[in-house]
Amino acid sequence: MDAGLAAVLGALAGSVATIGAALATGWAQRESALITVRSEHRRDRREPRQNAYKEFISIAHRMRNLTAAWAVDVNLTPEIDDTREEAWSQTERTLKQVATDAVLAGPTPVAKAAIELTQSATQLVINLKTYRQCVAEGQGRLVREMRRQLFVSATEFDAALSGFMLIAQSALDDDGSL
């Protein structure tokens, strides 16, 4: 090989190496920028999510407090009056309203848990109203069945609330590294 060809090949090899190094550096910088952007996005989303989750959990706790007596023992029959029934209904409506913020705040597992909790609250109120109607109509067998349904609904609501809180906490703790 003569000196001229060796010089051209050396220059070509140097150019290819320089281009390769430039591409690798550019790719690394791009990835670093993406990581920074993702991190900032997660940080910006955390506070609104936390506020939405906190409000939703607060209303759900109010519902839990109103229904706690029904989840203690299937044989207990706590007193129900119009005021208590209206409090249940109003709390369930409020829960549905704030659920929208929790669902939109995401991510998907939190949204699913919020929907499940809201549906559980609705079922609880439906069972309460049916129970009251059965009591008013003196339908003994149906009263016992609806009391059992109320117990099941109240315990399912309690479990759904606990599940939502754990999933929400996990979503807030997610730093995107997994």
Side-chain angles (χ1 to χ4, degrees):
M1 174 176 343
D2 67 355
L5 184 58
V8 170
L9 289 177
L12 183 61
S15 295
V16 169
T18 302
I19 291 170
L23 289 174
T25 301
W27 178 81
Q29 287 176 343
R30 180 179 171 274
E31 287 301 310
S32 177
L34 285 175
I35 290 170
T36 302
V37 167
R38 274 190 232 122
S39 175
E40 286 298 318
H41 176 72
R42 286 184 188 279
R43 191 175 8 263
D44 290 345
R45 298 255 313 152
R46 188 180 196 289
E47 187 175 343
R49 278 182 174 172
Q50 183 174 357
N51 292 337
Y53 300 166
K54 188 175 180 180
E55 183 177 10
F56 185 66
I57 290 169
S58 175
I59 303 301
H61 272 295
R62 187 179 319 151
M63 184 70 149
R64 177 192 271 174
N65 291 341
L66 291 169
T67 62
W70 294 94
V72 173
D73 184 351
V74 73
N75 295 314
L76 293 177
T77 53
E79 190 176 319
I80 304 174
D81 56 21
D82 292 339
T83 304
R84 286 189 176 111
E85 183 179 339
E86 179 54 33
W88 281 32
S89 295
Q90 179 59 43
T91 304
E92 185 244 351
R93 284 190 297 271
T94 304
L95 188 66
K96 283 181 180 178
Q97 291 169 352
V98 299
T100 302
D101 291 336
V103 168
L104 292 176
T108 302
V110 174
K112 286 180 180 178
I115 291 167
E116 179 184 327
L117 183 59
T118 304
Q119 290 171 338
S120 181
T122 299
Q123 187 61 53
L124 191 53
V125 171
I126 289 169
N127 287 346
L128 168 75
K129 290 180 179 191
T130 305
Y131 173 81
R132 278 199 76 195
Q133 184 158 356
C134 290
V135 168
E137 294 173 0
Q139 299 177 7
R141 186 183 61 76
L142 284 175
V143 168
R144 286 187 299 281
E145 176 57 27
M146 288 313 303
R147 175 58 189 103
R148 190 187 67 71
Q149 286 295 322
L150 269 169
F151 175 77
V152 169
S153 295
T155 54
E156 285 175 352
F157 178 81
D158 189 57
L161 175 54
S162 297
F164 176 83
M165 289 188 298
L166 292 173
I167 290 170
Q169 179 190 24
S170 178
L172 291 174
D173 287 344
D174 180 18
D175 65 355
S177 63
L178 297 177

